[in-house]
Amino acid sequence: MPKHIFVTGGVVSSLGKGLTSAAIGLILEQRGYKVSIQKLDPYINVDPGTMSPYQHGEVYVTDDGAETDLDLGHYERFTHAKFSQASNFTTGKIYSSVIMKERRGDYLGRTVQVIPHITDALKEAVHQGASEEGVDVAISEIGGTVGDIESLPFLEAIRQFALEREPEDVMFVHVTLLPYLKASGELKTKPTQQSVGKLREIGIQPHVLVCRTEQPMTEEMGQKISLFCNVRPESVIEERDVAHTIYEVPVDLVNAGLDKIICKHFGLPDEEETNLDSWKAMIAELIETEEEVEIAVVGKYIQLHDAYKSIYEALSHGGFANGCKVKLRKVSAEDVLDEGTSILEGVSGLLIPGGFGERGLEGKIAAIRWARESGVPFFGICLGMQCAVIEYARNVLELEGAHTIEHSPDTPHPVIALMAEQEEVDEKGGTMRLGAYDCDLVDGSKTRALYGEEHISERHRHRYEFNNEYLERFEESEMNLVGFNPARGLVEIVELPEHPFFIGVQFHPEFKSRPLAAHPIFSGFVGAALVHSRGGSRVAEESMA
């Protein structure tokens, strides 16, 4: 039976519960324990797949095709835990399952209620999240903020869950905020007291308080929080804003003694120190390096950082791998169309991420043409790859009016078409081509050289694909089609071999990038951008050759 850690949040949202959960998972793994991590979200959507990125940030996709909360990206970047459909449950998903049982008659005529039927389903979800064989510690992050109406069934469920187990088998970690009032020059503990008070009203007494703060927390303040919140002084943990990178969080938590506190509570051996040497070395190298490369990310949802969270992290991983820092220039695709490609001047790389909708599409296409003609390294992901195909078809193959039928159903040259299996699909949620699919790489291609292997598997999230009716036209051109799905013959990767770096992929490689193991395409892209920044496209071409 695994031990369980429940992570809740108070005072405000976006405190970093996901990062804290991921950091705890990393710490436990470095001590030799196998962990599982899941996210329980109180919103009524069945999953975030139909939500605007402005509402919820990016949608993270697992190998088995689950569209999940972006916090799963943090979990997977920090740990080796396995993630699946059972790693993210929402109110919508839970209620749907309960209603389905009621319609089948599974409840044998009983009145179906929040307690016990919804809470039982939530407890079962916790079990499913920890069902992988050999899990020592299961971490469950509860979304939302304590005090919200929608999170009450979730909190009641984990209260019941703890009641059904021995006290030493369940730990509650509450992430809270210590706001700093600039006018008076002091941190305030009252919001934390009230947040913990709300938890205690429900019947949950946190064992650990992780206090998010911009300013150092004094020993006296820690003692005050301990007294008013009924938490031992050593278990009031300061989690200050990191100076350089989010990957400092696990190190800070270990320095605060959280690893020892967890081990003591669960009765696990704690004589040895948590080994974070490789993690610390990575952070030290990041801090010490002075070389910087600027990369433009041209997208539709550029105003919200979380909309492209995994891409930004994967770019930073590419920087780690190349011994440099990546400076982001976030550019709205509409601005490229309105102001011209001059707003891209000076960058050493261009990345076009995935997305949906027509807004900004022509700006992305214009940016890709600029990168292709000027020799600036280019990397296109999902829609970014499709835009690269459209741009090349229009301006090199002279297929006038070439477009995607997603936005131009009457185009004379639909180089991007709806996948055959999508033609009869009416519902939006969970119906795209989702999850991991195999891809065979063409020998001699740049992409094959970057991966160092012939067969790969990457995660997808799309409905539209390269139109194979144009296969011959492209094969006769200088744009090489270098990655194919073996089951369907679908084109998954395109590249221009004579360009310093020009690769478009239909899948989402950012989901598989890790701080200590950058994704090979991101590593190659940042490396090419770095060479370009040092000496221009001619030098970059020689380097890639």
Side-chain angles (χ1 to χ4, degrees), residues 93-112:
K93 194 172 181 179
I94 293 295
Y95 271 76
S96 294
S97 68
V98 170
I99 291 170
M100 192 177 301
K101 288 181 180 180
E102 185 273 331
R103 293 288 83 187
R104 287 199 307 258
D106 291 4
Y107 295 114
L108 302 176
R110 291 191 296 270
T111 301
V112 180

Side-chain angles (χ1 to χ4, degrees), residues 89-213:
F89 286 87
T90 67
T91 293
K93 194 172 181 179
I94 293 295
Y95 271 76
S96 294
S97 68
V98 170
I99 291 170
M100 192 177 301
K101 288 181 180 180
E102 185 273 331
R103 293 288 83 187
R104 287 199 307 258
D106 291 4
Y107 295 114
L108 302 176
R110 291 191 296 270
T111 301
V112 180
Q113 297 175 293
V114 173
I115 301 173
H117 303 103
I118 297 299
T119 52
D120 282 351
L122 284 164
K123 288 184 285 184
E124 177 56 31
V126 173
H127 284 300
Q128 290 182 40
S131 61
E132 188 185 357
E133 186 176 353
V135 169
D136 299 303
V137 182
I139 303 166
S140 299
E141 178 194 347
I142 312 300
T145 305
V146 171
D148 292 345
I149 292 174
E150 57 263 30
S151 65
L152 286 174
F154 290 75
L155 298 174
E156 170 62 19
I158 63 175
R159 182 197 69 80
Q160 293 177 17
F161 190 96
L163 197 63
E164 295 164 3
R165 278 154 184 77
E166 296 300 322
E168 64 272 16
D169 289 339
V170 177
M171 171 179 270
F172 292 107
V173 176
H174 189 54
V175 183
T176 183
L177 176 69
L178 297 181
Y180 177 73
L181 298 185
K182 188 175 180 180
S184 60
E186 58 183 342
L187 292 170
K188 289 296 185 181
T189 67
K190 190 63 68 178
T192 292
Q193 295 175 40
Q194 293 177 335
S195 179
V196 173
K198 283 287 184 184
L199 267 181
R200 294 171 70 183
E201 287 176 9
I202 296 166
I204 296 174
Q205 170 62 57
H207 301 97
V208 175
L209 291 180
V210 176
C211 301
R212 294 282 289 109
T213 173

